[in-house]
Amino acid sequence: QGTCGTPPRSPPSRPPLRLATESRHRCLRRPLRAHLVPLALAHYPALSRLGLSLCPRHESLLTNGHLDTTIIDWIPGMPPISLGDISSFVRTTDADDFGLRFNEDEANNCTMAGALVLNTFDGLEADVLAALRAEYPRIFTVGPLGNLLLNAAADDVAGLSLWKQDTECLAWLDAQEMGAVVYVNFGSLTVLTPQQLAEFAWGLAATGRPFLWVIRENLVVPGDGGGDALLPTGFAAATEGRRCVATWCPQDRVLRHRAVGCFVTHSGWNSTCEGVAAGVPMVCWPVFADQYTNCKYACEAWGVGVRLDAEVRREQVAGHVELAMESEEMRRAAARWKAQAEAAARRGGSSYENLQSMVEVINSFSSKA
């Protein structure tokens, strides 16, 4: 048990919900990407009152193990979780930190919404969703969104990415053996140091496996461009013939490709959902925000991931990739979640029906406007 605040014996009380269904614009105040966001937001005020959200009053508490030993075991629907696995926005020495206050405001805003729209599916997070539904007036679970798009009848449905995608990597994947490729992508916001990039690079080289690595232009700071130009000297020669580097790619299609065997990820929620939906084991390296919580669930609750240390070491990268590629237990768990995700998104499934219900609610307010 940590030393910064003592969790209450029962969950702290929250302000009463104020339904806002009389207004079309406030019925669906804003879509939230995942249950982990509103659940964490719902308890920001309580964490703050207990001193937990402002716990690192001294910088040493960020590195002396305090984050790992302070356990929060009173959030409804969630197993005991360390402060280090809660969103990084609580790790501040500044009581007026923008990120902290923004998220606390969002917690209060959620109580004024008539509904929450969540990119998840009922089977994936049953306990958490039950806790949320006890406090929020209406919840629509409509995920994984990629599965719903796949089931759409229209041929011109756009994907989820807002970035220009390099589809040439798909042809490269077509030439690889089934389940042989390591796919690496740290999302659109994560930034690496040159040393971290080098450790990941040499870790991938040490596996001897073919890999597809997305290296966007601003992945490394300071850096100059993206792709192969950022890789360490000698790396290209060491991985000749088994390397494909892209600046961005259609991730949902890549993850569903028969050649992909594991996913090295930053554990952002969209990436986590896509990995679960594709049934691909994950090597997780969370960096900020809700990624730590997503990683904990992927590795411990769902059994589909293995976590890298914050300090990147090439030996651990290689070892964890091997574990994700070879673990039959992890692969079976990933296959089970993939099947559940597909069932939720097809006609008659929970997410499919929730999407229809959400559209009906929106249309009902439109007709009254």
Side-chain angles (χ1 to χ4, degrees), residues 31-354:
L32 296 174
R33 290 179 299 169
H35 96 270
L36 296 170
V37 177
L39 182 65
L41 292 180
H43 292 277
Y44 262 94
L47 290 169
S48 180
R49 287 196 301 271
L50 290 169
L52 288 172
S53 62
L54 307 177
C55 196
R57 298 181 183 88
H58 304 288
E59 293 293 337
S60 63
L61 294 178
L62 295 171
T63 57
N64 67 359
H66 174 79
L67 296 176
D68 295 326
T69 58
T70 301
I71 305 300
I72 301 167
D73 59 3
W74 45 264
I75 298 180
M78 291 186 70
I81 186 170
S82 70
L83 187 58
D85 284 329
I86 293 290
S87 172
S88 62
F89 291 125
V90 305
R91 304 174 202 171
T92 176
T93 58
D94 180 7
D96 296 317
D97 178 78
F98 173 80
L100 178 68
R101 293 307 167 204
F102 174 82
N103 281 277
E104 191 164 354
D105 288 343
E106 286 295 277
N108 293 326
N109 288 340
C110 284
T111 68
M112 295 186 290
L116 297 180
V117 182
L118 312 182
N119 179 17
T120 187
F121 59 96
D122 288 353
L124 187 65
E125 308 173 279
D127 292 343
V128 167
L129 288 168
L132 281 173
R133 285 176 169 132
E135 299 198 51
Y136 289 92
R138 181 183 286 132
I139 289 178
F140 297 108
T141 52
V142 295
L145 290 173
N147 290 63
L148 289 173
L149 287 175
L150 284 174
N151 292 337
D155 293 330
D156 59 348
V157 174
L160 297 176
S161 177
L162 299 178
W163 290 38
K164 183 178 180 180
Q165 299 175 342
D166 176 6
T167 58
E168 292 182 3
C169 62
L170 297 174
W172 181 85
L173 286 173
D174 289 341
Q176 308 304 314
E177 296 181 3
M178 181 176 293
V181 174
V182 180
Y183 170 56
V184 187
N185 190 341
F186 297 114
S188 57
L189 295 176
T190 296
V191 173
L192 277 65
T193 66
Q195 180 61 28
Q196 288 171 331
L197 182 84
E199 291 299 309
F200 274 114
W202 290 119
L204 291 170
T207 67
R209 297 179 180 274
F211 61 89
L212 165 59
W213 192 354
V214 172
I215 303 181
R216 65 177 200 275
E217 292 186 357
N218 60 345
L219 178 64
V220 178
V221 176
D224 183 17
D228 283 305
L230 294 174
L231 294 169
T233 302
F235 178 75
T239 57
E240 184 67 32
R242 58 184 177 92
R243 177 189 77 256
C244 180
V245 176
T247 54
W248 202 245
C249 73
Q251 178 164 280
D252 54 342
R253 295 174 65 186
V254 167
L255 284 169
R256 294 175 189 278
H257 197 284
R258 59 165 182 77
V260 172
C262 85
F263 180 20
V264 180
T265 174
H266 63 307
S267 294
W269 183 247
N270 285 336
S271 290
T272 299
C273 278
E274 289 169 354
V276 168
V280 177
M282 291 177 266
V283 176
C284 304
W285 187 61
V287 179
F288 71 99
D290 63 327
Q291 296 166 11
Y292 299 95
T293 315
N294 302 338
C295 172
K296 179 180 176 63
Y297 269 73
C299 297
E300 298 181 18
W302 305 327
V304 298
V306 59
R307 182 173 183 166
L308 290 168
D309 294 337
E311 182 180 351
V312 186
R313 292 176 289 112
R314 62 190 69 183
E315 297 84 5
Q316 189 183 59
V317 171
H320 279 22
V321 166
E322 285 301 302
L323 177 59
M325 293 289 280
E326 297 295 337
S327 171
E328 288 298 325
E329 181 179 1
M330 201 178 299
R331 198 161 299 282
R332 285 194 297 269
R336 287 195 300 271
W337 288 119
K338 177 184 179 181
Q340 290 195 39
E342 291 173 344
R346 70 171 63 103
R347 185 180 295 274
S350 59
S351 293
Y352 182 95
E353 297 302 323
N354 284 338

